[in-house]
Amino acid sequence: MDALDVMGNKEKAFPHFQPIISADKKQIIGYEVLGRIQTEEGIEDLSFFFEDTTIPEEYILEIDTHIRNLAIEHYKSHGTGECLFFNCNASHLLYDHGETITQSLEEYANLGIPYNRIVLEVSGYDVDEDNLGKLQHLLTYYSSLGVQIAVSHYGNKMSNIEKIAILNPNLIKVNLYSLKDKGMPQEYRDVLYALSMLGRKIGATLLFEGIDGHGQMKYAWENGGRYYQGNYIKEPGPVFLDRAQFKPLLSKEIHQFINHERNRLLALYHLSRRFNDHLQKQIKMIKQNDWDDIVSQASRSLKDACFRGYICNEDGDQVSSNYYRNDDGSWELQPEYVGNNWSWRPYFLENIIRMKHEGIGNLSDMYSDIETNELIRTYSYPINETHYLFLDIPYLYLYDRDHH
């Protein structure tokens, strides 16, 4: 089927609905409206039509409006307070300055459907500055009516995060289609972290779509997903479902996630306490007159749990050499690091204050090491009131304790 066939068979185009469920209510909170068309071979997805840049905008808007209106009719008869998510490509919105959508929204309001039950899901916003400004203006107007705005983030690129911030959506939609249950590339984790930070900053909620398996569902939950969508939950279909239909599935899944996370955090807590008890004894045995002595003996004593150690004062100035374990297992002092200041690192001073007041060491979050680019954690330990030991722990050692 091609674009002309779609235009000539508009009456055969209709919506399908894919449910979106929430972690907090454990129920369906809305449906994404997806275009379908009846052909002689069966029902066909209309994505190809809406994504074809050679089709004139007015044709796309006409079919889009037709499908939206049918979705609204269905909602009037069968809706119970859910939201309807309508896809809006930025170029289609900008083509007629949003007039088609604005007119539709007014019609739906006149039919008694509140503005806040409509979510406009914006994609294709990677536009020039002038058009981004126009798009922002348009979305701000829709928001002022009460319409909710969702912005889709696709792939593992950082470049669109700034544009999402400018558009200031209620929801950030994160796509997991390209991710298999097992493989979560580090660059994707970095983008996700940036998106969750942005969400917290602008008050936007994360919605994960493309969830095709248990592993992706778990990943979405671990990364701050409040809303979930995908074939693992339910494929798109022609009707609305009982809002509580997925409560048993979600309750079971979340219970498993919590147990797994609780066990992981407990394992890390016990690891941290074990390091603390070990270093307490170890440092008492070392004559505290040489920082390089302390760092070398403390680092070596942890064996394969540590690949680098150093000591800083409370201002973040490094007073010892780096003590570094090479790939062949030999250790070396690296005096060129003496005098470096690390206070600029995130959480550094917060960590120092915590150690100063609590008197025990603590384990950092997982992060990418600047020099090796490997995932590591750092264990920090208070030697005395003014000096602190930092021990870098390799990912291989942590793997069993922190394996997702």
Side-chain angles (χ1 to χ4, degrees):
M1 173 168 271
D2 63 21
L4 282 173
D5 292 331
V6 174
M7 289 309 302
N9 291 280
K10 182 170 125 177
E11 72 287 350
K12 291 183 180 174
F14 58 91
H16 264 185
F17 306 96
Q18 185 165 40
I20 294 162
I21 57 176
S22 77
D24 49 350
K25 302 284 187 196
K26 295 182 185 167
Q27 67 180 21
I28 296 171
I29 57 97
Y31 292 91
E32 181 174 0
V33 176
L34 298 158
R36 299 289 186 264
I37 192 161
Q38 186 69 52
T39 70
E40 287 174 9
E41 287 78 38
I43 293 171
E44 201 171 320
D45 186 340
L46 275 176
S47 299
F48 79 91
F49 177 79
F50 292 115
E51 289 163 11
D52 189 336
T53 52
T54 65
I55 300 169
E57 299 282 358
E58 57 266 30
Y59 291 173
I60 285 183
L61 291 172
E62 186 182 334
I63 298 293
D64 191 31
T65 304
H66 171 71
I67 288 166
R68 270 205 322 274
N69 290 345
L70 289 177
I72 288 289
E73 275 179 40
H74 186 79
Y75 185 86
K76 278 216 71 182
S77 311
H78 302 95
T80 55
E82 306 92 336
C83 292
L84 282 182
F85 286 66
F86 292 123
N87 288 294
C88 292
N89 188 289
S91 64
H92 304 158
L93 272 173
L94 292 167
Y95 167 72
D96 68 350
H97 314 292
E99 277 180 30
T100 302
I101 289 279
T102 305
Q103 197 178 330
S104 291
L105 289 171
E106 285 170 5
E107 286 169 15
Y108 306 155
N110 291 334
L111 289 170
I113 293 165
Y115 283 120
N116 65 5
R117 292 283 179 265
I118 305 292
V119 183
L120 296 182
E121 191 178 311
V122 183
S123 59
Y125 50 86
D126 195 4
V127 292
D128 61 44
E129 204 171 315
D130 185 41
N131 278 320
L132 190 68
K134 289 175 185 170
L135 186 61
Q136 180 197 21
H137 186 71
L138 203 49
L139 298 183
T140 302
Y141 169 67
Y142 294 144
S143 290
S144 72
L145 298 175
V147 172
Q148 296 183 67
I149 305 299
V151 171
S152 305
H153 185 276
Y154 282 82
N156 54 10
K157 292 196 176 81
M158 284 283 192
S159 55
N160 287 332
I161 289 179
E162 193 181 331
K163 289 179 176 173
I164 293 175
I166 289 166
L167 298 177
N168 195 25
N170 307 94
L171 297 156
I172 298 172
K173 201 164 188 188
V174 184
N175 189 307
L176 293 179
Y177 287 125
S178 57
L179 293 169
K180 301 289 177 235
D181 274 6
K182 290 179 183 170
M184 300 292 179
Q186 181 54 34
E187 63 269 25
Y188 192 87
R189 290 175 185 270
D190 294 342
V191 169
L192 253 183
Y193 181 73
L195 284 171
S196 63
M197 287 296 102
L198 173 64
R200 283 175 66 183
K201 204 169 180 180
I202 66 174
T205 302
L206 294 189
L207 189 170
F208 284 83
E209 69 174 335
I211 295 173
D212 285 335
H214 169 83
Q216 288 168 319
M217 184 93 170
K218 181 169 178 284
Y219 192 73
W221 180 83
E222 285 170 346
N223 286 280
R226 183 181 180 185
Y227 301 129
Y228 312 96
Q229 177 186 0
N231 293 345
Y232 180 64
I233 299 155
K234 188 71 178 173
E235 292 178 3
V239 295
F240 287 178
L241 307 165
D242 175 358
R243 289 188 77 173
Q245 181 170 332
F246 302 107
K247 198 163 192 169
L249 167 76
L250 210 50
S251 297
K252 181 182 156 212
E253 295 271 307
I254 288 176
H255 181 65
Q256 282 181 9
F257 301 158
I258 289 168
N259 277 343
H260 179 276
E261 188 67 4
R262 191 182 280 132
N263 292 337
R264 189 182 73 82
L265 292 170
L266 267 173
L268 289 169
Y269 171 77
H270 290 312
L271 179 69
S272 183
R273 292 309 301 229
R274 211 160 61 242
F275 283 167
N276 192 76
D277 295 345
H278 170 82
L279 288 168
Q280 240 172 5
K281 292 173 193 158
Q282 191 67 30
I283 283 171
K284 272 182 192 162
M285 288 163 27
I286 304 168
K287 287 180 183 170
Q288 295 195 24
N289 57 359
D290 186 321
W291 297 124
D292 282 0
D293 262 2
I294 295 172
V295 77
S296 55
Q297 290 188 54
S299 301
R300 268 181 189 276
S301 75
L302 284 176
K303 299 179 178 155
D304 62 344
C306 173
F307 73 91
R308 179 171 54 213
Y310 54 98
I311 295 168
C312 292
N313 65 20
E314 59 190 330
D315 290 338
D317 294 320
Q318 187 165 330
V319 295
S320 76
S321 304
N322 268 11
Y323 193 56
Y324 186 79
R325 185 175 53 162
N326 295 303
D327 291 341
D328 63 3
S330 64
W331 289 85
E332 65 168 313
L333 282 166
Q334 299 172 319
E336 64 270 23
Y337 287 88
V338 176
N340 280 3
N341 184 279
W342 303 110
S343 61
W344 54 270
R345 281 182 162 171
Y347 311 115
F348 185 91
L349 293 174
E350 188 183 320
N351 193 9
I352 295 284
I353 286 168
R354 189 180 297 137
M355 286 191 284
K356 204 178 180 78
H357 289 277
E358 293 173 2
I360 58 169
N362 55 61
L363 205 53
S364 76
D365 287 342
M366 194 87 85
Y367 65 96
S368 286
D369 182 54
I370 295 170
E371 291 184 7
T372 66
N373 213 26
E374 298 286 322
L375 282 174
I376 67 167
R377 289 181 187 271
T378 298
Y379 185 77
S380 347
Y381 179 81
I383 297 171
N384 56 35
E385 284 289 301
T386 55
H387 288 81
Y388 302 86
L389 173 66
F390 295 88
L391 301 167
D392 290 338
I393 305 163
Y395 181 66
L396 276 176
Y397 182 83
L398 293 159
Y399 183 79
D400 292 332
R401 297 160 180 81
D402 200 46
H403 184 44
H404 294 0

